[in-house]
């Protein structure tokens, strides 16, 4: 079964990123190459290595899937010897590592319990009834899976008007410290996935902003603006400056309106198969049963086996893509990167985005690299498919406005009672870092317009 999905090769993962992502990727590459700084290994991160083995036979488990429980975008694949090396932000040290392998019971290991030398993680074989799993036919090729995904896009994703309500959060980092925070409670009115996404509207119900603790180089920022203007002139591509609009347009299912989007035949083939000159390696690294549906976890990338930082989860019953992550490395050491992640959930027989994450390097000084990132996240906790109050054009944010300057007077009562914040609280380590000069409530109040 696995062999039918395994092909050799590699692909440039940015091929089918959204248009604005590709623009940013081009700018990032320019500054990674041209910067005068020396970019060594990032500090302030958790580093652990180990090996995953069968508890009974003591044999190594090749291509085990490893990820951080509450931040699944941090994930890895074990090597041919069952070995792994993981690196993650130090503030996640209180989280849990999850290890899974096809046919074995998943295991959760607190990161704090891992050895600083080499950890040995043992997995037990899992007995699963054949009635529980849909076995993929031997003759099924990856082309067939792509075809089934495309055939079912209209059935799986909403073509009708709907509203999403949720939380937007932008966290900025610099090495081991956090340097900025913006949060907004939003309502998004989408016209349906069969229509141009530019007709959708985003309304900010309330927004708050912390202090900017990173040091920006004004001369460097001016230089960046000139480079951007030159790229726009030469390519004809004008980037979206509004982070909330840009993040929502990262949804690949929503972008199927465009000819070169990921959820098109060309997009999926380039992402999972590639071309003869640049083919893609891919591997089924896990199978799980979710509410009686079998979900296949397919890792893909430019190495054999894939390292697991780019992957797709597909429901074998309706061929809906449930999760997708793409990570584009910008240097050989894999310390500089751009990363996109989306997770869908089913509501009334259609799949809507539950979480969207977009990580990109900050371009505020000459010290450009993976240590300095903007992490943009949407959580959508409410989906309204019935009657709802439409967002007026004048109340919707514009794609060309900088959201960092659109901060009204801080509504403390709103945020204290916000269910979104209760469901998605800031990690205590993040709060401590952001409050190293003054507490967040003081920051929100002083940064709000009077």
């Amino acid at each position: 079964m696995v062999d039918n999905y395994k092909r050799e090769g590699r692909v440039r993962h940015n091929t089918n990123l959204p248009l604005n992502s590709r623009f940013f990727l081009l700018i990032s590459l320019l500054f990674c190459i041209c910067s005068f700084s020396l970019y060594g290994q990032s500090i302030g991160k958790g580093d652990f290595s180990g090996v995953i083995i069968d508890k009974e036979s003591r044999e190594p488990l090749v291509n085990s899937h490893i990820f951080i429980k509450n931040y699944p975008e941090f994930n890895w694949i074990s090597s041919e010897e069952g070995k792994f090396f993981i690196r993650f932000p130090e503030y996640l040290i209180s989280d849990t590592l999850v290890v899974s392998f096809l046919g074995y019971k998943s295991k959760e290991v607190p990161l704090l319990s891992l050895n600083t030398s080499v950890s040995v993680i043992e997995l037990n074989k899992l007995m699963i009834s054949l009635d529980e799993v849909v076995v993929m036919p031997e003759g099924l090729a990856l082309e067939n899976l792509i075809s089934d995904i495309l055939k079912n896009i209209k059935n799986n994703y909403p073509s009708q008007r709907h509203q999403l309500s949720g939380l937007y959060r932008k966290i900025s980092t610099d090495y081991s410290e956090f340097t900025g925070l913006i949060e907004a409670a939003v309502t998004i009115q989408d016209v349906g996935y069969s229509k141009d996404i530019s007709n959708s509207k985003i309304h900010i119900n309330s927004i708050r902003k912390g202090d900017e603790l990173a040091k920006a180089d004004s001369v460097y920022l001016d230089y960046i603006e000139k480079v951007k203007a030159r790229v726009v002139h030469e390519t004809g591509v004008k980037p979206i400056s509004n982070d909330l609009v840009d993040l929502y347009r990262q949804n690949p299912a929503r972008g199927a309106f465009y000819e070169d989007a990921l959820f098109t035949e060309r997009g999926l083939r380039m992402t999972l198969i590639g071309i003869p000159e640049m083919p893609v390696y891919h591997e089924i690294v896990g199978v799980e049963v979710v509410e009686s549906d079998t979900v296949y976890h397919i890792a893909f990338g430019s190495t054999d086996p894939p390292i697991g930082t780019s992957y797709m989860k597909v429901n074998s019953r309706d061929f809906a893509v449930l999760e997708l992550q793409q990570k584009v490395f910008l240097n050989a050491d894999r310390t500089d990167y751009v990363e996109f992640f989306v997770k869908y959930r089913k509501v009334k027989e259609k799949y809507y985005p539950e979480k969207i994450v977009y990580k990109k390097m900050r371009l505020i000084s000459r010290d450009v690299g993976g240590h300095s990132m903007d992490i943009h996240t949407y959580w959508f906790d409410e989906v309204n498919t019935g009657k709802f109050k439409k967002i007026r054009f004048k109340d919707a944010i514009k794609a060309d406005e900088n959201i960092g300057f659109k901060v009204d007077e801080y509504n403390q009562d709103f945020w204290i009672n916000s269910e979104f914040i209760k469901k998605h609280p800031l990690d205590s380590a993040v709060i401590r870092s952001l409050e190293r000069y003054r507490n967040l409530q003081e920051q929100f109040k002083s940064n709000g317009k009077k």
Side-chain angles (χ1 to χ4, degrees), residues 300-320:
F300 57 90
S302 60
T303 60
D304 188 11
I307 61 176
T309 53
S310 294
Y311 70 88
M312 180 182 292
K313 289 187 177 182
V314 181
N315 188 321
S316 65
R317 181 181 57 81
D318 56 16
F319 296 100

Side-chain angles (χ1 to χ4, degrees), residues 418-434:
S418 172
E419 291 297 323
F420 299 134
I421 290 296
K422 294 176 183 177
K423 291 181 180 178
H424 312 289
L426 271 176
D427 187 278
S428 58
V430 178
I431 295 175
R432 286 195 300 272
S433 179
L434 291 172

